[in-house]
Amino acid sequence: MLRIHMSGVDLSKVRMATRPDVLWETILSFHRLRDRRGSTVFGEWRKETRPRLNGEVRALAAVIPPRGYFPDFLTPSQESGEPYGISAGMEALRDTPPRRIRAELALLSAERREAGRVPHRRVESLDRLIGALRSYHRAAIEPYWPHIQASVEADRAVRGRALLDGGAEELLASLPPMIRWRAPVLEADYPVDRELHLDGRGLLLQPSFFCRVTPVVLRDPRLPPVLVYPVTHSRAPVFAEPGPWLGRLLGHTRSTVLSAIGNGCTTSELARRAGVSLASASQHARVLREAGLIHTLRHGSSVLHTLTPLGGSLLRGGAPLAMS
């Protein structure tokens, strides 16, 4: 069980990350690569990614075990709490003090011995590790970034609604079921017992596509507090390419519906905005979702629709969404 202790000051400093964190997604995806579970969401991604990998797996396996602790320095955070882009993240990793790297690798070795696992292979130089991370990122993350971004944006829309409806406490209460707000403590299912005292620093909530089952926090309590938690995956195959459904998108009404979704809305709001019946709005939303233009998540008793990068690009006349 993980228990995050919050004061009133901490509660006022709870905030949502503005976008996916490239390094968290990269590291956590390496767990998913070696995990056979979650085939509905990750199966196609594994099938496509594995043939593109070479020596990266061996290099990364030295510092990222299949489960349990991995060094905090692999997922650096800015003082502002904003996620790094890939280039800035690699530079931040390169700037890690050698003393900290040695200490965290020693902790990794101790954790493996305690678990009765084979000691990790000797870690290559930091430059080679960074090179392996970059290469792995290009193969496993970069081609799927729009899909990852769409899932995180959909989660942010749900959390944003909760924040507007009831403030920070409602936001915390809206988090996935493995996380429970029992004021003044945020509890979460966790593989070990951990007590984290925020001491007025607040908490960054970081939704993650590749996080699975339980959230993740940094091991060192002195580092900026961040709670990485799994997004709720839609039933639609997230990595599927748009298919023949695009041919059904022609027409003024459906274009109006797509535009009406804007920064997110429920089906009833969509019907009002587009001037169509509730049944018609639901049907149009289904077609748009199957075409990969919107993302739909359940929010309480209703569902919330948000644009995917492809849907946003279509509305902008084809302008692509760049990866940060």
Side-chain angles (χ1 to χ4, degrees):
M1 179 76 72
L2 169 67
R3 298 175 183 85
I4 303 176
H5 300 266
M6 293 189 177
S7 65
V9 173
D10 293 313
L11 198 58
S12 70
K13 292 183 179 180
V14 171
R15 59 205 185 279
M16 286 292 304
T18 58
R19 59 183 184 271
D21 187 295
V22 172
L23 288 171
W24 277 108
E25 296 297 349
T26 300
I27 301 301
L28 292 174
S29 75
F30 192 61
H31 285 287
R32 304 290 78 79
L33 185 74
R34 296 169 292 172
D35 185 356
R36 295 182 180 179
R37 296 171 295 175
S39 59
T40 301
V41 176
F42 305 113
E44 190 65 24
W45 167 79
R46 292 188 191 108
K47 181 180 177 182
E48 293 178 0
T49 297
R50 282 171 177 152
R52 293 197 289 261
L53 299 175
N54 295 306
E56 300 93 340
V57 173
R58 181 179 179 277
L60 296 183
V63 291
I64 309 171
R67 58 188 178 276
Y69 171 77
F70 57 85
D72 290 336
F73 73 79
L74 293 174
T75 52
S77 59
Q78 302 188 63
E79 288 186 11
S80 66
E82 285 301 301
Y84 280 113
I86 186 63
S87 297
M90 291 297 105
E91 288 307 309
L93 207 162
R94 194 183 304 278
D95 290 340
T96 307
R99 182 176 179 179
R100 177 183 168 188
I101 293 175
R102 289 194 296 270
E104 293 186 5
L105 291 178
L107 179 58
L108 175 64
S109 292
E111 292 265 338
R112 290 196 177 192
R113 283 195 297 272
E114 276 187 29
R117 297 179 196 148
V118 177
H120 68 81
R121 305 180 188 91
R122 187 179 71 85
V123 178
E124 311 225 14
S125 71
L126 184 59
D127 282 343
R128 289 188 179 181
L129 176 59
I130 290 173
L133 274 171
R134 277 190 179 276
S135 181
Y136 174 81
H137 172 268
R138 281 194 296 268
I141 300 297
E142 196 171 87
Y144 308 100
W145 190 251
H147 305 287
I148 295 167
Q149 194 171 33
S151 294
V152 169
E153 280 299 320
D155 183 272
R156 276 174 44 82
V158 171
R159 308 307 157 212
R161 289 226 161 193
L163 181 64
L164 290 173
D165 289 345
E169 294 204 52
E170 185 68 23
L171 166 61
L172 295 175
S174 79
L175 293 171
M178 78 286 296
I179 306 170
R180 298 164 294 278
W181 172 237
R182 293 172 178 165
V185 178
L186 188 65
E187 295 182 351
D189 297 339
Y190 211 65
V192 297
D193 283 334
R194 285 284 307 277
E195 305 284 339
L196 177 58
H197 295 268
L198 300 182
D199 298 325
R201 294 173 294 170
L203 181 67
L204 176 67
L205 300 174
Q206 177 67 64
S208 167
F209 183 88
F210 283 103
C211 186
R212 184 180 181 274
V213 181
T214 62
V216 185
V217 294
L218 296 168
R219 174 67 177 265
D220 189 342
R222 297 168 296 181
L223 294 172
V226 56
L227 180 70
V228 181
Y229 67 89
V231 300
T232 301
H233 294 287
S234 66
R235 294 182 179 180
V238 179
F239 292 133
E241 293 299 320
W245 294 101
L246 280 174
R248 296 171 57 184
L249 290 175
L250 299 176
H252 173 73
T253 301
R254 198 157 290 145
S255 297
T256 300
V257 169
L258 185 64
S259 299
I261 289 173
N263 292 324
C265 64
T266 64
T267 305
S268 57
E269 289 169 340
L270 179 59
R272 288 196 300 270
R273 292 179 186 180
V276 298
S277 69
L278 186 62
S280 179
S282 180
Q283 179 185 6
H284 287 306
R286 177 178 60 81
V287 176
L288 292 169
R289 181 170 59 254
E290 289 169 339
L293 300 180
I294 69 171
H295 196 94
T296 301
L297 284 181
R298 181 156 294 281
H299 178 48
S301 60
S302 60
V303 294
L304 186 65
H305 310 290
T306 57
L307 295 175
T308 65
L310 178 61
S313 176
L314 187 63
L315 285 178
R316 292 191 304 273
L321 257 176
M323 178 180 175
S324 58

